[in-house]
Amino acid sequence: MNYYEHHIGDYAEATAHLTFIEDATYSRLIRKYYATEKPLPMDVKFVQRLINARSKEEKNAVISVLNEFFNLTDDGWRQERCDHEIARFKDRQIKARRSAEGRWQSSSAEQILSDSTTISVCDRNANALPTQCSPNTIHQSPITNLHTPDKQNNGAEKKNVGRSDQTSVQIIKLFAKEGINIPLDDGRIKEMIGMDISEKEIADAILQAKETRRRASSSTPINVGFVLAILKGMRRKSQANDLGEDIWWKSNEGIDVKGRELGMRAQGSESYDAFKTRIFAELRKREEVSNAS
């Protein structure tokens, strides 16, 4: 994305309490988010390096802004407004491409051929008009193997394509119920199919996305990218549970996640080791209360 809408009123209201450095930090973070079209890395130190936060005050500002305006997921630090704008941008891209392809396909034979006897290969420009046509004689001798289809392979391919299309339609219907329209060739649908996601998992992820918006008192509608991120998190959590592992304390990301589960946040310039120690103390306290009851 080389452009995004900046709503001055919304931004000013949401950031009025920030310090000068925190405001600059937030602006840099969302610009990086839009430029890469993906969540910020989970590693806070890497995020600090990405926006060139060097001083102690600048690094602390990154931590504060991430904790206040972003949500840590299995994909990294996500920002709901950014995800929504990126999804809108990609939807416009898809619609523009399909419109251009439709105009190209409807072009007359006179536009495509340079004359009535010579076959030409034409490149398309951004407006779907043929340009830079040059004679091409490569296909004057027919390739005979194209006229003799492999019946066995062709049948298998048709079956797989049919199943894939049916699954895509089901996914599209689930999102359509929420007022979200997705084109059949959307790459995120293919990604869900590749993950072998069930309809129930998608429905659960949509409910979780709506609940997340409600808890945050956010009027931003849910989108496909947000739901896909939740699906990935659900799948990874399920895999971790299958392995019986809970090693949150071994990474900064795990410490942040565990802290959020307990309703705890890092305090100012508090290090991860100190935060981890507080989390362990809180867990012991809750366990003692549970045992006493």
Side-chain angles (χ1 to χ4, degrees):
M1 291 180 65
N2 295 316
Y3 163 85
Y4 70 92
E5 293 181 359
H6 182 74
H7 299 276
I8 299 174
D10 293 347
Y11 183 89
E13 182 179 354
T15 62
H17 63 289
L18 298 182
T19 65
F20 185 87
I21 291 181
E22 288 173 337
D23 187 286
T25 297
Y26 185 37
S27 180
R28 285 196 174 191
L29 288 174
I30 61 177
R31 291 203 304 271
K32 177 61 68 175
Y33 203 112
Y34 283 128
T36 58
E37 298 180 20
K38 62 183 180 181
L40 299 172
M42 299 175 72
D43 189 341
V44 175
K45 291 182 179 179
F46 190 33
V47 176
Q48 292 167 338
R49 182 175 178 80
L50 276 179
I51 65 167
N52 201 25
R54 296 185 178 183
S55 69
K56 183 177 181 181
E57 188 176 9
E58 290 169 348
K59 291 180 178 179
N60 289 341
V62 172
I63 296 174
S64 298
V65 171
L66 284 176
N67 283 323
E68 181 172 356
F69 294 98
F70 293 76
N71 293 315
L72 184 62
T73 70
D74 290 335
D75 294 326
W77 290 94
R78 284 192 170 275
Q79 214 279 353
E80 293 183 5
R81 182 63 173 267
C82 291
D83 283 340
H84 176 64
E85 293 299 326
I86 291 171
R88 285 180 57 200
F89 169 76
K90 290 185 175 180
D91 286 341
R92 287 196 298 267
Q93 272 190 327
I94 292 171
K95 290 176 181 177
R97 184 176 68 247
R98 296 177 68 182
S99 177
E101 288 175 350
R103 290 197 300 272
W104 169 252
Q105 291 170 1
S106 64
S107 297
S108 65
E110 287 78 8
Q111 290 176 304
I112 300 174
L113 300 178
S114 61
D115 57 50
S116 60
T117 58
T118 305
I119 298 177
S120 301
V121 176
C122 300
D123 295 329
R124 286 175 283 179
N125 62 17
N127 295 317
L129 297 177
T131 183
Q132 298 178 0
C133 297
S134 59
N136 177 21
T137 58
I138 295 176
H139 299 300
Q140 289 179 355
S141 299
I143 302 175
T144 56
N145 61 352
L146 294 179
H147 301 285
T148 309
D150 184 336
K151 294 182 180 179
Q152 183 175 356
N153 291 338
N154 191 41
E157 288 174 1
K158 284 183 178 179
K159 276 188 177 181
N160 291 333
V161 170
R163 284 196 295 268
S164 177
D165 286 346
Q166 290 175 2
T167 305
S168 298
V169 170
Q170 293 302 319
I171 293 175
I172 290 173
K173 287 181 177 178
L174 286 172
F175 281 101
K177 291 179 181 178
E178 304 299 326
I180 304 172
N181 297 319
I182 321 172
L184 189 61
D185 59 352
D186 193 302
R188 291 166 294 187
I189 292 183
K190 295 179 181 177
E191 191 170 354
M192 292 181 197
I193 294 175
M195 293 169 61
D196 197 22
I197 296 292
S198 67
E199 290 183 32
K200 183 180 184 305
E201 286 178 296
I202 296 175
D204 290 344
I206 290 175
L207 288 176
Q208 186 173 331
K210 292 166 67 176
E211 177 63 17
T212 300
R213 290 281 198 267
R214 187 192 65 78
R215 288 201 305 267
S217 299
S218 173
S219 60
T220 304
I222 64 173
N223 54 56
V224 182
F226 189 32
V227 173
L228 179 57
I230 292 175
L231 282 168
K232 289 180 179 178
M234 291 167 57
R235 181 58 59 86
R236 290 174 185 171
K237 185 174 181 180
S238 175
Q239 292 172 347
N241 290 338
D242 290 343
L243 295 173
E245 297 179 351
D246 185 10
I247 50 175
W248 59 267
W249 62 88
K250 291 190 177 182
S251 68
N252 292 344
E253 296 77 18
I255 294 172
D256 281 326
V257 171
K258 180 58 70 173
R260 288 176 182 276
E261 289 178 2
L262 300 176
M264 301 172 64
R265 292 181 180 273
Q267 299 174 347
S269 59
E270 182 179 35
S271 68
Y272 274 101
D273 284 339
F275 188 27
K276 178 173 64 177
T277 300
R278 281 204 304 118
I279 291 175
F280 273 123
E282 179 64 22
L283 288 172
R284 284 195 296 270
K285 184 190 300 183
R286 296 189 182 192
E287 185 178 359
E288 289 171 359
V289 171
S290 176
N291 291 336
S293 60

